[in-house]
Amino acid sequence: MLHLRLISPADKTDDVLRLIEGTTGTTHLAVVPGAARDPAGDVIMCDVAREAGDELIAGLRDLDLDKCGSIAVENIDLSLSERADEAEHEAPGEGSDAVLWEHLTDATHEESTLSITYVAFITLATMIAACGVVLDNAILIVGAMAVGPEFGPLAGFCTALVRRAPRLALRSLIALLVGFLAAMVVTTGFSYFMDATDLFSHEALKAERPNTNFIYRPDWFSFVVAVLAGAAGTLSLTSAKSGALVGVAISVTTVPAAANAAVAFSYNEYKQAWGSTEQLLLNLLGIVLAGTLTLLAQKALWATQRERTAKSRRRAQDSVTGS
């Protein structure tokens, strides 16, 4: 269930209430007239089944409530109410399958912002991965994958493609490209420093490295894993199962590939650097492709579910009218 807290101008309150009462899956409606001060208006609260949330939020935005009032949405962890159970039963589909597009857009917008914190995380992750590739240490590689924040801009780019939001797409692309570029430049300097202190060596980079040589040897398995991880990551975002994102992060070779390319470049190992770059681009392409297709499939399936539900309601109304 979702909890909505709304601020509505007095002249729009009746329209808002009609919308809420006409949306299947809503309950616990409460109105406090004149309670809001900034912006001035009425405070309206209600609970809605997750599978009906996107429809209700879209309707509220059509009433311009996000411009003249306020729309706040939060997840309800526990709701002990028979009315809530009935609302979830009446709403079409399953809550775990529902996509809250406004929430997804807002979340990916925040995660895809080019900030100092984002650049710091991706740079630190790349430097950790650099240590991992030189030491041929798989544990450091996995750790770097978990630290890397690059899935945020990738998810933002996929969402922007599906929702046709050019600003979000540009923001995500800038965060992705600038983030990786900054991380690789800093990691190249880090490699020079580590070499000067005899902690990195050319011989270690050129060694067989059985645990990490896959990073600069891309193949079809790299693309397949990236596609599967992209689909899993997108599903984890849309179903609010954020725990799965950790598994996604340590499944794709993005940050390690960037790190290996930077270290190889510092030692003039251009063949290794190019192989790592191919690995990076292949993983990014696979994630974007899978993420976009997953969102499109969810959008189509949910639209079909809504259409079936609407037809069932019309048939039920017609039968009642005919009788």
Side-chain angles (χ1 to χ4, degrees):
M1 294 289 289
L2 302 172
H3 179 69
L4 272 65
R5 186 180 70 255
L6 314 172
I7 296 178
S8 170
D11 60 339
K12 284 186 176 291
T13 297
D14 289 341
D15 292 334
V16 172
L17 294 178
R18 276 193 292 270
L19 173 64
I20 294 174
E21 291 171 340
T23 301
T24 303
T26 59
T27 187
H28 302 156
L29 177 61
V31 183
V32 187
R37 297 291 184 90
D38 185 20
D42 304 327
V43 174
I44 303 172
M45 294 171 285
C46 70
D47 296 341
V48 60
R50 180 181 173 85
E51 50 269 43
D54 188 63
E55 178 184 357
L56 178 56
I57 294 170
L60 292 170
R61 295 199 67 182
D62 288 340
L63 292 174
D64 292 330
L65 199 63
D66 55 323
K67 297 176 181 177
C68 61
S70 171
I71 304 172
V73 184
E74 57 186 4
N75 284 303
I76 300 176
D77 294 327
L78 177 63
S79 179
L80 302 178
S81 167
E82 289 187 2
R83 288 183 177 272
D85 295 338
E86 291 175 2
E88 288 187 320
H89 179 72
E90 292 172 357
E94 293 293 331
S96 58
D97 295 333
V99 180
L100 296 176
W101 291 102
E102 296 296 340
H103 178 270
L104 179 63
T105 302
D106 184 70
T108 52
H109 181 278
E110 182 179 349
E111 293 293 327
S112 60
T113 300
L114 182 63
S115 63
I116 294 176
T117 301
Y118 170 80
V119 174
F121 267 115
I122 197 169
T123 300
L124 291 170
T126 307
M127 292 167 71
I128 293 171
C131 296
V133 298
V134 173
L135 296 174
D136 193 32
N137 189 318
I139 295 177
L140 290 177
I141 295 298
V142 171
M145 289 175 169
V147 172
E150 72 280 4
F151 192 80
L154 287 169
F157 190 70
C158 295
T159 303
L161 291 179
V162 173
R163 301 213 72 188
R164 299 178 182 177
R167 288 188 178 181
L168 179 58
L170 182 60
R171 176 188 291 266
S172 302
L173 193 59
I174 290 174
L176 196 67
L177 296 179
V178 174
F180 270 116
L181 180 61
M184 293 173 73
V185 169
V186 173
T187 302
T188 301
F190 175 70
S191 179
Y192 284 129
F193 171 77
M194 295 294 279
D195 180 74
T197 57
D198 293 328
L199 294 174
F200 281 7
S201 68
H202 196 180
E203 291 73 20
L205 184 70
K206 291 178 64 177
E208 183 59 27
R209 291 162 49 197
N211 293 321
T212 57
N213 60 23
F214 69 92
I215 294 173
Y216 59 89
R217 295 175 180 175
D219 54 24
W220 279 107
F221 277 106
S222 302
F223 183 74
V224 170
V225 171
V227 168
L228 297 175
T234 303
L235 285 173
S236 71
L237 285 177
T238 57
S239 62
K241 296 184 181 296
S242 58
L245 281 177
V246 177
V248 172
I250 61 177
S251 300
V252 291
T253 315
T254 50
V255 166
N260 199 89
V263 175
F265 183 82
S266 70
Y267 284 112
N268 299 323
E269 287 287 337
Y270 300 121
K271 184 177 180 180
Q272 234 188 89
W274 176 245
S276 302
T277 303
E278 284 185 328
Q279 180 77 275
L280 173 62
L281 295 175
L282 198 63
N283 275 264
L284 294 178
L285 176 63
I287 294 172
V288 169
L289 179 63
T292 303
L293 291 177
T294 300
L295 288 175
L296 287 172
Q298 287 182 292
K299 187 176 182 179
L301 288 172
W302 197 249
T304 302
Q305 176 67 41
R306 280 184 174 177
E307 186 177 349
R308 288 177 179 173
T309 303
K311 287 182 179 178
S312 299
R313 288 177 188 165
R314 285 196 294 268
R315 284 197 296 267
Q317 291 174 354
D318 292 341
S319 62
V320 170
T321 303
S323 61

